[in-house]
Amino acid sequence: MISRASFGPFFMKGFLFIASLSIFLTGSLVARTPSTTPNGIFALDTGGVSQGGTFLRTLTGYEKQFLSTTGFTTQSYPPVLVVLHQVDDAGFSSSSLRVDSIEGGLPRIQVDLIGDPGDGGRTRKLLAKAMILREYYGSSAPLPGSQIPEFPEWLIHGLGVLCSPSSGKKPISSQFLRGETPPTVEDFLIQRPPQDENHSLADLYDAMAAALLKAALKSENASSTLIEWIGHYDPNVPRTNSSAWPVSWKMRPVEKRWLLQMAGSNVADEGATKLLTVPEAFRRYDALLQELPTQDHSLAMLKQAKGSDFIIQELSGRLLALRLQSNPMAIPLFEQTILFLTDIKHNSLKKLQEREKILVSLRADILKQSADIEGYLDWYEASKVPVRSGLFDRLLSTPETPVRKGPVGRYLDVIEGRGWQ
């Protein structure tokens, strides 16, 4: 038995004595020294698994991404112990996570991975949950028999993807880009994650969860909200499971950014998730029309074009995706154009040509209105706003001119200096 006194100096400094971890790896007294990541979030025991040593680089990547993504700071909490087991290791049929305590009242969070774990979905979830639990428990072990807190599944899945060094940017095949009703945050929060065996659906859910978490973390004071939401263990206060969504994250703005993130995942342009101005949105609109294989790139002439059904479907989807990225002022043009494409089969060519002229006129009206609004806002910024942004200070500043006084001015200064008595 290891005495508490032998660990005293390490407890005072807040560090976990690595030898104690080695003893608890397999329940035996055969010590193995785990390798730790640079910031001490993970300690890895390869357990004799071939090529297990390379997994330490993966854990280092998780550690780095976790700290930069969530806003947590490096703490001297006991590390998460990650143990790799052989496939035929007795007692371990699947990867798992467990939480208990060690000598001295410190928590032990252990992740057991079978074989060469790689960086799949289950590994991502276990490591993400383990890192959250490490922040939650800190240096206080759970009381015997106490319930281990559960966190929302979308948070675990999303954090696992954002922290994974090998996940990369994954396109999201979203039906809402093809005209269907866009998903809502409320519906996604109550959606059950697919089984790991269904790789396609599981990858889609993980990517959507990562996009939602990334959008939420752009909220005001997002990191402090996340830290407060996860909480910190207090043995004197009963713990209830976390809510599905923190109140401080305003759902509608997050939902808008979420949809933009998912729409942007389907294109190579990194700037696709930014809100486009009206002129930029119309430039992209014009570029789409320039691709039409019709005379003068006419929308109306699609009625007589070969393969028009495919062209209309493809153009409608791209216009819908562009609509989600655009300034709200530009939306009427996109909606009217999509409606125009829907009605091509049911209208004569002459009527379609008349409606196309209306679209051209609508585009010009919106562009003029946008310019007028921008000009007015510039004027208002320059002359009415009490706290200015500084954009027009150089133009508004009046150069100082030296004061030149004549005999009368000097005489009045003398009289004023006498107090006008």
Side-chain angles (χ1 to χ4, degrees), residues 215-228:
L217 288 174
K218 292 183 179 179
S219 305
E220 185 177 0
N221 300 321
S223 295
S224 58
T225 298
L226 177 64
I227 294 171
E228 181 181 356

Side-chain angles (χ1 to χ4, degrees), residues 86-408:
Q86 301 284 355
V87 176
D88 56 353
D89 195 347
F92 291 96
S93 57
S94 62
S95 299
S96 60
L97 182 149
R98 47 181 165 159
V99 181
D100 51 23
S101 61
I102 59 176
E103 185 96 13
L106 290 176
R108 179 181 68 174
I109 303 172
Q110 180 168 330
V111 176
D112 296 289
L113 301 176
I114 307 302
D116 186 0
D119 192 19
R122 182 160 181 78
T123 299
R124 292 197 301 263
K125 288 182 293 182
L126 290 174
L127 294 179
K129 186 174 183 180
M131 288 187 290
I132 290 180
L133 288 173
R134 177 180 180 269
E135 297 295 335
Y136 173 72
Y137 283 109
S139 298
S140 302
L143 295 175
S146 62
Q147 183 180 4
I148 305 302
E150 291 293 332
F151 299 96
E153 288 285 352
W154 77 267
L155 173 64
I156 301 298
H157 284 252
L159 186 62
V161 172
L162 292 184
C163 292
S164 170
S166 62
S167 61
K169 182 178 179 180
K170 296 183 178 180
I172 301 173
S173 178
S174 303
Q175 296 298 321
F176 73 92
L177 295 178
R178 302 185 182 93
E180 296 188 8
T181 304
T184 64
V185 172
E186 292 92 340
D187 290 341
F188 187 75
L189 296 182
I190 63 175
Q191 181 178 334
R192 294 187 62 180
Q195 297 294 325
D196 293 335
E197 293 76 16
N198 195 332
H199 298 294
S200 298
L201 290 180
D203 287 345
L204 175 60
Y205 180 89
D206 287 358
M208 293 179 69
L212 178 57
L213 181 57
K214 189 174 181 180
L217 288 174
K218 292 183 179 179
S219 305
E220 185 177 0
N221 300 321
S223 295
S224 58
T225 298
L226 177 64
I227 294 171
E228 181 181 356
W229 184 32
I230 290 174
H232 201 71
Y233 177 65
D234 185 348
N236 299 316
V237 179
R239 166 74 184 195
T240 57
N241 291 336
S242 298
S243 59
W245 186 264
V247 179
S248 299
W249 287 347
K250 303 303 180 183
M251 196 170 285
R252 295 285 77 83
V254 171
E255 183 174 88
K256 175 68 174 179
R257 292 194 295 268
W258 181 43
L259 293 176
L260 290 174
Q261 290 278 356
M262 292 190 292
S265 71
N266 289 272
V267 294
D269 184 7
E270 292 294 333
T273 58
K274 296 180 180 179
L275 188 65
L276 302 176
T277 64
V278 172
E280 177 60 26
F282 283 178
R283 279 194 290 272
R284 298 195 182 191
Y285 174 88
D286 295 341
L288 291 179
L289 298 190
Q290 287 297 316
E291 297 179 9
L292 294 178
T294 56
Q295 183 180 355
D296 298 328
H297 310 290
S298 168
L299 287 168
M301 296 302 294
L302 284 173
K303 185 173 181 67
Q304 300 177 345
K306 294 182 179 180
S308 60
D309 290 343
F310 175 79
I311 297 173
I312 291 172
Q313 181 180 3
E314 183 74 12
L315 181 58
S316 297
R318 296 174 71 180
L319 286 172
L320 183 59
L322 184 58
R323 175 191 181 279
L324 290 171
Q325 304 169 40
S326 301
N327 184 292
M329 286 192 63
I331 289 178
L333 179 63
F334 296 125
E335 291 181 342
Q336 290 299 319
T337 305
I338 293 172
L339 181 61
F340 179 95
L341 294 173
T342 304
D343 294 341
I344 282 182
K345 289 184 177 181
H346 311 292
N347 287 272
S348 64
L349 179 60
K350 182 179 180 181
K351 188 172 183 179
L352 289 173
Q353 290 172 336
E354 293 175 354
R355 288 180 60 181
E356 188 171 12
K357 292 179 181 179
I358 296 175
L359 288 178
V360 174
S361 177
L362 177 61
R363 179 192 182 283
D365 291 343
I366 293 176
L367 196 58
K368 181 180 183 302
Q369 186 181 18
S370 173
D372 291 343
I373 291 175
E374 185 175 355
Y376 173 79
L377 291 176
D378 287 347
W379 167 82
Y380 191 85
E381 161 76 13
S383 60
K384 295 296 184 182
V385 178
V387 180
R388 300 188 180 118
S389 66
L391 295 176
F392 302 96
D393 285 353
R394 183 178 60 84
L395 300 176
L396 295 175
S397 61
T398 303
E400 295 185 4
T401 57
V403 177
R404 297 180 180 180
K405 296 180 181 180
V408 176

